Amino acid sequence: MGYLGNHLATIVTGVFAAVLTGLWPYFVDFAPILNFVFIMAVPITWFLTFTCWISQKSTDYMHNHAPTHSEKKSLSSTQTVQVTTGSQVSLSEIKQVQNELSLELSNLKESVKLKDSEIERLNQEISNLETLVQIESLKTELANLKMLASKSKTKKK
């Protein structure tokens, strides 16, 4: 982000604090109320400068060390898995897995009150299966949903 590196607020506040600090000696004897204003304003502006600097350092650290969006795991989004082997699945195996997963999802639909949009999304993913990675991802997601269903059943009892 240029020369300032997102520290514009820190620099502006610091310059204002420095100007107030520099003007303070000139206005000490001018009016007693101004001395009080400077006594209050100078430490506050230096505190604001420090706060801006710390918050920007924290933000920079979090953006440089936080996991990327693709690394975050969620039930509603499929997990990405890289496979190094180049084995292909035959069309009959994919159809068989699609049928199994569709049956599993319909059984799960009866036991858990899932949103219709979530079920439609899973059905769409089942119909678009092409690789082992996608199959394993959907199996994992269905297993997570089953686990949530069993937890909700035990809480009801």
Side-chain angles (χ1 to χ4, degrees):
M1 270 309 301
Y3 294 114
L4 301 179
N6 286 335
H7 286 279
L8 184 62
T10 305
I11 292 171
V12 168
T13 310
V15 167
F16 183 64
V19 167
L20 282 179
T21 305
L23 289 176
W24 190 1
Y26 294 112
F27 289 102
V28 169
D29 296 326
F30 187 69
I33 192 73
L34 278 179
N35 191 29
F36 177 74
V37 169
F38 277 105
I39 287 173
M40 297 302 291
V42 169
I44 290 171
T45 54
W46 282 115
F47 175 76
L48 287 174
T49 303
F50 177 73
T51 305
C52 287
W53 180 76
I54 286 292
S55 65
Q56 187 59 50
K57 284 293 187 182
S58 173
T59 303
D60 291 345
Y61 178 82
M62 290 306 295
H63 284 285
N64 291 336
H65 292 86
T68 60
H69 182 67
S70 63
E71 294 173 1
K72 295 179 183 175
K73 294 183 180 178
S74 171
L75 275 179
S76 62
S77 65
T78 59
Q79 300 171 358
T80 57
V81 181
Q82 291 182 349
V83 177
T84 56
T85 61
S87 62
Q88 293 289 9
V89 182
S90 68
L91 190 58
S92 62
E93 290 175 343
I94 288 179
K95 291 293 181 190
Q96 179 185 0
V97 171
Q98 284 177 342
N99 292 334
E100 290 172 6
L101 291 175
S102 295
L103 180 63
E104 208 172 314
L105 183 61
S106 64
N107 291 338
L108 190 60
K109 180 181 177 181
E110 295 170 4
S111 64
V112 179
K113 294 181 180 178
L114 289 176
K115 295 179 183 175
D116 289 335
S117 62
E118 182 74 13
I119 292 172
E120 182 59 36
R121 183 188 64 79
L122 288 173
N123 278 327
Q124 184 67 30
E125 286 184 23
I126 289 171
S127 65
N128 292 333
L129 286 178
E130 294 178 358
T131 64
L132 284 174
V133 174
Q134 292 173 334
I135 292 170
E136 291 303 318
S137 175
L138 270 175
K139 284 183 179 180
T140 303
E141 192 165 348
L142 285 174
N144 288 337
L145 287 173
K146 283 182 182 179
M147 184 175 61
L148 288 174
S150 66
K151 285 182 181 178
S152 66
K153 284 182 183 178
T154 56
K155 287 182 181 179
K156 289 179 182 178
K157 291 181 180 181

